[in-house]
Amino acid sequence: MIRTEEMTISMGPQHPATHGVLRFIVKTDGEVLHEVKPDVGYLHRSMEKIAEKVGYISFQPYTDRIDYVCAMTCNHAYAMAVEKAAGISAPERAEYLRVIASELNRISSHLIMAGVMAMDIGAFTPFIHAIRERETVNDLFEMLCGARLTYNYVRIGGVSFDAPANFKEKCVEFLNHFEPIIDEFNRLISFNKIYVERLANVGVVSREDAIAYNLVGPNLRGSGVRFDVRKDIPYSIYPKIDFNVPVGIGEAGKVGDCYDRYMIRIREMKESCKIVRQALEQMPEGEIMAKVPRKIKPPVTEVYSRCESARGDMGFYLVSDGTDKPYRLKIRTGSFSAMSIVEKIAPGLMIADLVAFISSLDVVAPEVDR
Amino acid sequence: MIKEKFTFAEEVKPQAGGGWYLVPADKIVEVCKTLRDDYKFDCLSCLTGIDLVDYFEVVYHLFSYSEKKPLVLKVKLEKQSSTMPSVSAIWPSANWMEREVFDLLGIKFENHPDLRRIMLPEDWAGHPLQKSYKEPEEYCGMSTKR
């Protein structure tokens, strides 16, 4: 007797296309997905409890490990939250260095996303091109702080080191080289017919769903919502800088499909180049660190500060009880909410499209689990 | 505006930082629904809990994308029951955030579609973000100490 039944497959935790240790419990009918349940928590390190134990200054290096693909913005977001609570303000030169570092890191993070996206879909070469460029960004970070992945560069009250004398020159050299590379990358893969058709109209997230599921950053803008923390809740020196916020317009299919989310990242890299150029031009001389007490003791207060990381709006909710350790520190990340929408969008997709959908969300597993 | 609409909500304005509204636990669904439908708070950007030893506090950071403004709600929760209504029917993003609060703090949400642990293994004992939490000596026969 012939009968049909749904097949339950465990996709992950070790799977090349899940961007870290993630697992999906997938129910399929042949190639078509009926249900996808994300199973997260494999990389849970209880960061929030660690923060309560180690105190404000010692927690700074841990913020690198929240999202190691874009550690600068995590450093920045945490430093901003503590500064807001303790009433510290960083010197202007430090703010410029923070923005330069954050934007360079955004470029390298989006390069990883663009390369990995192509690789997940089956085109391996673009990944190598992307990683090659990222290498130069890592060299620039090495000039700044000596580290290539977990920088611990942005500190409470400023940054750890001043830029060396030839930093500006090297940075401009990289930008001059990199801006044409984006166009080359587009010719190589972004406008490739097979690639476009693989992504267009796949995993469409409507504007309403994107907001209701709390998608942030490029994923939110991919669905056509023009919102960027750097523009709408301005912080640091972003108000002094002229840049655009690209949003999804459905250039290959519907608004909010995988291709829109991908192209947002490509366009943001160009905008980041613009920001770095302006910041390098405007950067004043001066101190790079404010006077920060050896033990930071913010008054009894609570702050919620938001920062635009490569994966979008990163929020730190800090409750202080007047001691040198946070009473409670909640880290709100973009990948966590992006993972929760998979359950809603995935049914009806093909298995191979699930891979495309997850990479288009640019999920970083340690940021989901913290 | 919110004060006139919900007379039971208490406005708290601390000396430093932004203020919030204190809402009774049994009214939270009603308040959230009205805020979403009539006041354009279309996004719940952060939901979390705090263990304040004598009681729990559940904190809602709302955001309105059309008006670009935030709003903070808080709920005081007695430790004895530590149960409160879920808002996951109003904002789907609350689903996972409430699971995380349940997992790490032990607050139970009524009418939640899928209240399971999310970060820790299902057989983990205790809720780590509670201030009284003691790390277990072992998990499944493995020592947790070095």
Side-chain angles (χ1 to χ4, degrees):
Chain A
M1 202 175 81
I2 297 168
R3 64 188 178 89
T4 58
E5 63 178 76
E6 277 185 344
M7 183 161 54
T8 306
I9 308 170
S10 173
M11 193 171 155
Q14 262 51 316
H15 185 281
T18 50
H19 300 240
V21 194
L22 283 173
R23 177 168 166 244
F24 297 91
I25 301 154
V26 176
K27 282 197 182 134
T28 71
D29 174 9
E31 279 281 296
V32 180
L33 300 166
H34 277 186
E35 189 189 275
V36 176
K37 277 206 178 291
D39 179 14
V40 301
Y42 289 89
L43 291 170
H44 182 60
R45 293 146 293 167
S46 221
M47 289 272 189
E48 293 167 9
K49 189 75 176 176
I50 291 172
E52 289 173 20
K53 302 242 170 190
V54 299
Y56 291 104
I57 293 175
S58 313
F59 189 64
Q60 187 75 64
Y62 286 94
T63 57
D64 287 322
R65 277 84 181 163
I66 297 168
D67 172 5
Y68 51 65
V69 186
C70 195
M72 283 291 183
T73 46
C74 301
N75 286 172
H76 193 174
Y78 174 69
M80 262 167 53
V82 179
E83 283 165 9
K84 202 167 156 189
I88 300 167
S89 61
E92 207 180 357
R93 186 175 171 85
E95 290 287 3
Y96 275 94
L97 284 168
R98 285 174 175 190
V99 166
I100 291 167
S102 297
E103 295 305 321
L104 286 173
N105 210 173
R106 193 184 313 279
I107 292 172
S108 73
S109 170
H110 285 352
L111 276 172
I112 292 255
M113 184 273 174
V116 166
M117 177 113 192
M119 190 169 73
D120 282 354
I121 285 171
F124 188 73
T125 314
F127 178 69
I128 302 297
H129 284 235
I131 288 291
R132 183 192 65 203
E133 299 311 318
R134 181 175 179 266
E135 208 53 25
T136 323
V137 181
N138 284 352
D139 290 343
L140 289 171
F141 286 147
E142 206 174 346
M143 284 176 81
L144 273 182
C145 60
R148 296 172 69 88
L149 189 71
T150 48
Y151 315 108
N152 193 15
Y153 179 60
V154 181
R155 303 275 173 92
I156 300 163
V159 293
S160 57
F161 300 99
D162 203 347
N166 58 345
F167 179 76
K168 185 178 170 184
E169 183 196 327
K170 288 273 177 202
C171 208
V172 171
E173 195 184 302
F174 165 71
L175 294 173
N176 290 342
H177 158 79
F178 180 66
E179 275 170 330
I181 292 280
I182 301 177
D183 299 324
E184 186 190 294
F185 195 80
N186 285 340
R187 287 198 299 278
L188 177 68
I189 185 76
S190 307
F191 302 139
N192 177 299
K193 192 163 189 292
I194 303 168
Y195 188 68
V196 173
E197 291 193 356
R198 225 17 209 84
L199 297 178
N201 295 319
V202 170
V204 179
V205 180
S206 71
R207 186 193 164 92
E208 290 70 32
D209 277 346
I211 292 176
Y213 276 86
N214 199 3
L215 289 194
V216 289
N219 296 333
L220 180 70
R221 294 192 280 278
S223 296
V225 182
R226 195 178 291 276
F227 181 84
D228 188 316
V229 183
R230 292 172 294 174
K231 277 266 190 225
D232 294 301
I233 316 171
Y235 58 93
S236 194
I237 51 129
Y238 284 111
K240 292 183 197 163
I241 284 177
D242 173 42
F243 65 100
N244 296 323
V245 178
V247 290
I249 47 168
E251 54 198 293
K254 294 198 182 102
V255 175
D257 59 7
C258 290
Y259 191 70
D260 265 356
R261 281 190 291 278
Y262 168 82
M263 280 313 279
I264 295 283
R265 266 89 177 193
I266 297 286
R267 305 235 149 86
E268 280 193 10
M269 285 199 278
K270 284 210 156 162
E271 295 303 320
S272 292
C273 291
K274 256 164 76 183
I275 298 174
V276 175
R277 274 184 201 280
Q278 290 175 51
L280 283 170
E281 267 326 300
Q282 296 175 13
M283 185 160 66
E285 292 297 320
E287 291 290 309
I288 52 150
M289 196 73 185
K291 279 211 160 51
V292 177
R294 199 164 281 241
K295 276 202 159 143
I296 295 175
K297 288 185 181 174
V300 181
T301 183
E302 59 169 72
V303 296
Y304 182 56
S305 100
R306 301 167 72 166
C307 173
E308 183 79 19
S309 108
R311 262 146 287 282
D313 178 354
M314 184 167 207
F316 275 84
Y317 175 55
L318 176 70
V319 180
S320 152
D321 62 348
T323 63
D324 60 342
K325 289 173 181 153
Y327 188 80
R328 172 89 172 89
L329 182 74
K330 157 83 185 167
I331 308 157
R332 196 204 89 61
T333 59
S335 299
F336 183 78
S337 42
M339 275 305 286
S340 70
I341 204 171
V342 173
E343 215 173 324
K344 154 98 179 160
I345 302 292
L349 293 179
M350 311 278 269
I351 292 181
D353 288 344
L354 176 66
V355 174
F357 181 56
I358 295 161
S359 33
S360 81
L361 292 172
D362 194 15
V363 173
V364 169
E367 207 200 25
V368 179
D369 301 342
R370 281 159 285 133
Chain B
M1 67 176 192
I2 289 149
K3 240 183 132 45
E4 288 113 53
K5 182 92 185 170
F6 311 111
T7 44
F8 47 81
E10 186 192 331
E11 193 176 2
V12 184
K13 276 190 182 152
Q15 282 182 327
W20 60 83
Y21 289 93
L22 203 57
V23 179
D26 54 342
K27 300 272 195 218
I28 189 73
V29 174
E30 181 195 329
V31 171
C32 286
K33 202 165 172 1
T34 316
L35 285 174
R36 185 197 63 178
D37 295 341
D38 302 345
Y39 294 95
K40 296 182 184 163
F41 283 100
D42 44 7
C43 176
L44 175 65
S45 60
C46 181
L47 188 162
T48 190
I50 310 168
D51 180 7
L52 287 158
V53 184
D54 299 325
Y55 57 93
F56 286 123
E57 223 170 50
V58 180
V59 189
Y60 300 76
H61 285 92
L62 275 50
F63 192 74
S64 163
Y65 275 107
S66 51
E67 299 186 355
K68 304 211 163 107
K69 67 175 184 201
L71 181 79
V72 186
L73 301 177
K74 283 193 181 185
V75 171
K76 260 189 189 176
L77 196 59
E78 292 305 320
K79 280 217 162 162
Q80 275 153 342
S81 71
S82 45
T83 304
M84 66 172 295
S86 159
V87 295
S88 54
I90 299 168
W91 296 288
S93 59
N95 184 327
W96 274 34
M97 291 193 275
E98 284 178 345
R99 277 178 69 189
E100 192 184 334
V101 173
F102 165 72
D103 187 0
L104 302 180
L105 275 150
I107 296 170
K108 289 180 272 304
F109 292 90
E110 285 168 338
N111 302 323
H112 188 285
D114 186 22
L115 198 64
R116 290 177 290 130
R117 282 191 187 267
I118 185 165
M119 296 298 173
L120 300 172
E122 265 159 37
D123 53 355
W124 192 264
H127 303 281
L129 285 183
Q130 286 181 358
K131 292 286 171 185
S132 58
Y133 178 75
K134 293 244 172 1
E135 196 184 327
E137 291 290 316
E138 57 162 46
Y139 169 67
C140 291
M142 290 174 286
S143 170
T144 60
K145 302 259 156 49
R146 263 186 297 174

